[in-house]
């Protein structure tokens, strides 16, 4: 009986839905026939861009959907520390978009150099151009130069920062692999805001885990540009359980702020004039929006990040240009893959509503960010987000963290959840 | 199947009463881990549960004292939210 009611309700919903979309489509196509279909361009096919693609593909017969990326393969930021820690292979976090899922989508693999927001075109390095009616930019992040004297972002000889899909993870691992007993590693952790706030501390944990398994005594010194960090108590507990006397954290006020780097002598200096010599120095640079944003003058007033409307993700002062992911100021939301995926859902649904001339949805966002301390132990921080009462910023409804305990199975369960979330995400958007 | 999910998707994203709308987008966020089309061994697949079981499970998290991820995510959801989420996911 209940099944029958469900079946009737399902058929009713389905028929209503089909009728609704048919009418919407008919009305829309009538307009489209008078004009060409709108060009909807997604620039960047990382987690934010690929998530938008998944949703916009559902109306790909109503629009010309075009995806632009300089790379055919996407290597994710999430789980890259597990590659560094020799728990996963680089191939495990590298994906090609499954084009079979996107028959109506045009893919262009080329580097966009400039976006003309007035004339609404994107220019490539070879001078070719492509027009857009609506542009979604999911560009990842860029880096601030000249914060650390002597450090160059693209120096190929130093240890790469590996904070994006371009960094050479294998070179990073190769440099780690030659370290001997009693070596010192320095990780310089950036100032807020930056992509994936707990990741420098996860990296320190997984590097220590790697050497512990190899029975090589290596110390990791984290010199931090901040006085506190997310999940701090949980990391401290894990470090006291598993990496006692192996990981040391120095806050900014205690000399953690690195201001000078000398590659030749493998030395950094802090803002208090102290020098630290190490065998391996990993500087994670301070961050800002991606270069294409600045090259195209899409930020104003010396902002480091894109300012957006939190309902539509349209750039403030730039009509029909939307930005998602780590390059935006998302107020209370951290820069994470889960956040980018959640933002992409709202952006896409509201862009579809705009194209179909429907009302915007009232956004709700979720973030859950897992961090590993060893192969089978992880903990998380989660929060729901909504708009504030004046609907001009995203606010947290309160974040909460796991409570790590040595003898609890929760931390092991959370590691499984983390692997499960990652598999679900990449299967959903890339495969 | 593709057409059905497309029709339902548009139906979902276009029925814009504020409260229902909120539930729709909450469900989209749940799908980041609990995807209807992807069943991974590390995360429970919830779509083959009876609706009542789902509601009981979600409400049981509210009584749990530990701090696992679902307990924490559940904290913000009211009983009414949970019932509406179940309506959307199972009806």
């Amino acid at each position: 009986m209940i099944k029958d009611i469900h079946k009737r309700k399902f058929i009713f919903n389905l028929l209503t839905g089909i009728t609704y979309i048919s009418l919407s489509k008919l009305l829309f196509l009538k307009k489209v026939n008078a004009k060409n279909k709108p060009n909807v361009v997604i620039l960047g096919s990382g987690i934010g861009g690929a998530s938008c693609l998944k949703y916009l593909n559902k109306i790909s017969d109503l629009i010309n959907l075009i995806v632009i990326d300089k790379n055919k393969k996407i290597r994710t930021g999430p789980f890259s520390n597990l590659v560094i820690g020799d728990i996963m292979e680089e191939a495990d976090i590298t994906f090609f978009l499954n084009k079979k899922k996107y028959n109506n989508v045009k893919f262009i693999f080329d580097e966009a150099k400039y976006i003309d927001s007035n004339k609404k075109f994107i220019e490539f390095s070879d001078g070719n151009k492509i027009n857009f009616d609506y542009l979604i930019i999911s560009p990842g992040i860029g880096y601030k130069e000249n914060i650390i004297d002597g450090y160059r972002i693209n120096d190929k000889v130093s240890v790469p920062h590996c904070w994006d899909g371009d960094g050479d993870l294998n070179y990073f691992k190769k440099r780690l692999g030659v370290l001997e007993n009693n070596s010192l590693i320095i990780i310089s952790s950036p100032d807020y805001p930056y992509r994936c706030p707990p990741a420098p501390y996860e990296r320190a944990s997984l590097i220590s885990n790697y050497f512990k398994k190899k029975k090589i005594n290596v110390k990791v010194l984290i010199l931090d540009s901040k006085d506190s960090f997310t999940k701090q108590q949980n990391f401290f507990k894990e470090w006291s359980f598993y990496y006692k006397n192996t990981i040391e954290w120095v806050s900014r006020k205690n000399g953690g702020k690195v201001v000078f780097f000398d590659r030749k002598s493998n030395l950094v200096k802090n803002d208090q004039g102290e020098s630290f010599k190490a065998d391996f120095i990993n500087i994670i640079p301070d961050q800002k929006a991606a270069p294409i944003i600045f090259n195209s003058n899409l930020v104003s007033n010396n902002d480091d990040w894109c300012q957006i409307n939190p309902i539509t993700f349209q750039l403030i002062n730039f009509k029909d240009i939307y930005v998602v992911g780590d390059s935006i100021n998302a107020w209370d939301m951290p820069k994470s893959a889960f956040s980018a995926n959640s933002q992409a859902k709202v952006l896409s649904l509201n862009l579809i509503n705009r194209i179909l001339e429907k009302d915007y949805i009232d956004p709700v966002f979720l973030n859950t960010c897992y961090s590993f301390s060893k192969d089978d132990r992880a903990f998380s921080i989660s929060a729901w987000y909504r708009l504030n009462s004046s609907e001009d910023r995203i606010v947290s409804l309160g974040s909460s963290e796991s409570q790590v305990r040595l003898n609890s199975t929760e931390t092991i369960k959370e590691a499984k959840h983390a692997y499960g979330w990652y598999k679900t995400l990449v299967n959903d958007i890339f495969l | 199947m593709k057409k059905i999910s497309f029709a339902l998707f548009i139906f979902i994203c276009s029925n814009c009463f504020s409260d229902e709308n909120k539930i729709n987008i909450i469900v989209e966020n749940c799908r980041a881990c609990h995807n209807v089309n992807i069943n991974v061994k590390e995360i429970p697949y919830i779509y083959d549960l009876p609706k009542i079981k789902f509601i009981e499970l979600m409400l049981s998290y509210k009584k749990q004292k530990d701090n696992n991820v679902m307990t924490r995510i559940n904290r913000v959801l009211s009983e009414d939210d949970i019932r509406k989420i179940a309506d959307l996911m199972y009806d």
Side-chain angles (χ1 to χ4, degrees):
Chain A
M1 181 66 184
I2 291 172
K3 270 190 177 172
D4 283 349
I5 293 168
H6 285 176
K7 204 171 163 187
R8 281 202 300 276
K9 267 178 122 176
F10 176 79
I11 291 167
F12 172 78
N13 282 346
L14 185 60
L15 289 174
T16 319
I18 289 169
T19 312
Y20 182 86
I21 187 56
S22 303
L23 283 171
S24 292
K25 264 186 168 182
L26 273 175
L27 289 169
F28 184 79
L29 285 173
K30 208 171 161 189
K31 285 181 196 166
V32 164
N33 287 339
K35 252 176 27 165
N36 288 329
K37 289 180 184 179
N39 272 3
V40 180
V41 177
I42 301 172
L43 180 54
S45 61
I47 285 166
S51 303
C52 289
L53 172 62
K54 185 208 153 182
Y55 282 83
L56 288 164
N57 186 51
K58 293 171 190 287
I59 59 158
S60 62
D61 50 348
L62 302 179
I63 59 178
N64 292 321
L65 188 51
I66 300 151
V67 175
I68 300 170
D69 202 303
K70 64 179 176 180
N71 299 316
K72 280 189 176 169
K73 57 182 183 182
I74 300 297
R75 197 185 71 207
T76 66
F79 283 60
S80 57
N81 280 335
L82 280 85
V83 176
I84 283 172
D86 217 26
I87 297 166
M88 290 172 83
E89 296 295 323
E90 188 175 7
D92 298 331
I93 62 161
T94 306
F95 304 94
F96 292 86
L97 270 172
N98 179 4
K99 288 197 203 167
K100 284 180 192 160
K101 269 180 17 182
Y102 303 114
N103 288 328
N104 285 341
V105 180
K106 181 179 177 185
F107 290 89
I108 299 172
F109 296 106
D110 200 348
E111 188 168 13
K113 284 287 179 198
Y114 176 71
I115 298 160
D116 191 314
S117 54
N118 289 322
K119 294 178 184 162
K120 296 175 83 170
F121 67 75
I122 296 161
E123 187 171 350
F124 297 97
S125 39
D126 59 5
N128 280 337
K129 291 173 186 170
I130 187 159
N131 294 310
F132 64 84
D133 295 292
Y134 305 101
L135 171 63
I136 297 169
I137 315 173
S138 179
I141 43 162
Y143 303 98
K144 292 181 183 175
E145 295 277 2
N146 306 322
I147 299 287
I148 297 175
D149 191 20
Y151 176 72
R152 299 286 164 266
I153 304 292
N154 294 316
D155 174 11
K156 299 286 180 205
V157 184
S158 300
V159 171
H161 53 71
C162 287
W163 218 247
D164 55 38
D166 291 335
D168 189 343
L169 280 173
N170 285 325
Y171 182 55
F172 190 108
K173 286 177 75 172
K174 195 174 158 193
R175 293 281 299 261
L176 267 187
V178 297
L179 293 181
E180 294 172 354
N181 224 4
N182 300 321
S183 294
L184 175 66
I185 292 172
I186 286 178
I187 295 176
S188 167
S189 183
D191 204 354
Y192 288 129
Y194 62 93
R195 164 183 274 177
C196 200
Y201 317 97
E202 180 189 66
R203 180 173 289 185
S205 309
L206 295 181
I207 287 174
S208 293
N209 181 51
Y210 165 73
F211 284 109
K212 194 176 172 183
K213 284 194 284 189
K214 286 179 76 175
K215 297 188 170 35
I216 296 174
N217 179 29
V218 165
K219 182 169 179 178
V220 180
L221 178 65
I222 304 169
L223 297 176
D224 209 326
S225 305
K226 307 176 291 296
D227 283 326
S228 61
F229 59 90
T230 181
K231 304 180 186 170
Q232 186 167 326
Q233 291 314 313
N234 280 335
F235 274 110
F236 281 177
K237 278 187 201 165
E238 288 293 277
W239 295 348
S240 72
F241 296 152
Y242 296 104
Y243 311 119
K244 205 161 192 170
N245 304 323
T246 303
I247 300 177
E248 184 183 342
W249 175 72
V250 181
S251 67
R252 182 185 183 121
K253 71 177 176 214
N254 287 327
K257 173 75 180 160
V258 171
V259 295
F260 175 79
F261 171 62
D262 183 349
R263 171 165 56 80
K264 281 185 187 154
S265 51
N266 253 348
L267 173 145
V268 292
K269 281 184 189 171
N270 66 13
D271 61 357
Q272 297 170 10
E274 289 172 281
S275 298
F276 300 84
K277 212 167 170 354
D279 303 288
F280 180 103
I281 298 177
N282 175 208
I283 290 174
I284 303 166
D286 282 12
Q287 293 159 33
K288 59 181 182 176
I292 185 87
I293 300 291
F294 292 96
N295 297 344
S296 310
N297 303 312
L298 298 176
V299 282
S300 51
N301 302 328
N302 298 319
D303 258 336
D304 284 331
W305 306 100
C306 298
Q307 304 301 325
I308 50 111
N309 174 320
I311 300 172
T312 61
F313 287 79
Q314 185 169 261
L315 264 177
I316 303 293
N317 299 328
F318 295 95
K319 196 170 171 282
D320 303 325
I321 299 181
Y322 303 81
V323 189
V324 66
D326 295 340
S327 270
I328 64 169
N329 166 20
W331 299 278
D332 288 0
M333 282 191 93
K335 298 181 187 304
S336 74
F338 205 115
S339 292
N341 179 247
S342 184
Q343 292 161 5
K345 289 171 181 178
V346 170
L347 188 163
S348 309
L349 295 175
N350 274 339
L351 182 56
I352 290 169
N353 282 332
R354 181 174 172 195
I355 291 168
L356 295 177
E357 299 180 352
K358 302 293 164 198
D359 292 337
Y360 289 135
I361 58 165
D362 180 17
V364 176
F365 305 95
L366 178 63
N367 178 54
T368 297
C369 172
Y370 294 98
S371 301
F372 283 85
S373 52
K374 59 200 291 277
D375 307 44
D376 59 351
R377 288 180 69 84
F379 40 92
S380 66
I381 187 166
S382 307
W384 287 100
Y385 303 84
R386 292 209 69 179
L387 300 192
N388 62 344
S389 54
S390 48
E391 300 194 334
D392 57 2
R393 59 185 294 142
I394 299 169
V395 290
S396 169
L397 301 181
S399 67
S400 54
E401 283 183 46
S402 328
Q403 284 167 355
V404 162
R405 289 186 202 95
L406 183 56
N407 296 321
S408 162
T409 54
E410 272 311 313
T411 316
I412 293 166
K413 228 191 254 176
E414 285 230 73
K416 288 181 182 161
H417 290 161
Y419 286 113
W421 162 72
Y422 185 72
K423 277 189 206 170
T424 306
L425 177 78
V426 299
N427 270 285
D428 191 34
I429 65 174
F430 294 127
L431 303 177
Chain B
M1 190 61 201
K2 208 176 156 189
K3 278 183 180 170
I4 292 170
S5 70
F6 174 61
L8 283 174
F9 166 79
I10 295 296
F11 183 63
I12 283 166
C13 77
S14 304
N15 281 273
C16 292
F17 302 108
S18 169
D19 200 39
E20 272 189 32
N21 220 356
K22 187 181 84 172
I23 301 300
N24 293 333
I25 196 70
I26 286 173
V27 170
E28 283 304 318
N29 278 297
C30 298
R31 287 181 178 148
C33 299
H34 299 279
N35 192 300
V36 68
N37 299 315
I38 301 158
N39 189 357
V40 296
K41 67 176 190 292
E42 296 88 349
I43 291 182
Y45 188 77
I46 53 175
Y47 299 95
D48 52 4
L49 287 176
K51 180 177 162 183
I52 188 70
K53 186 82 192 155
F54 171 81
I55 293 170
E56 281 170 12
L57 191 63
M58 291 290 277
L59 291 175
S60 75
Y61 284 119
K62 296 209 163 287
K63 293 174 194 152
Q64 283 184 19
K65 286 188 181 154
D66 63 18
N67 217 30
N68 74 48
V69 65
M70 278 311 298
T71 309
R72 289 182 280 120
I73 285 174
N74 235 301
R75 227 168 258 159
V76 175
L77 303 174
S78 67
E79 188 172 334
D80 188 47
D81 287 336
I82 289 169
R83 291 189 188 283
K84 284 178 178 166
I85 288 168
D87 288 345
L88 187 66
M89 282 174 39
Y90 293 95
D91 286 353

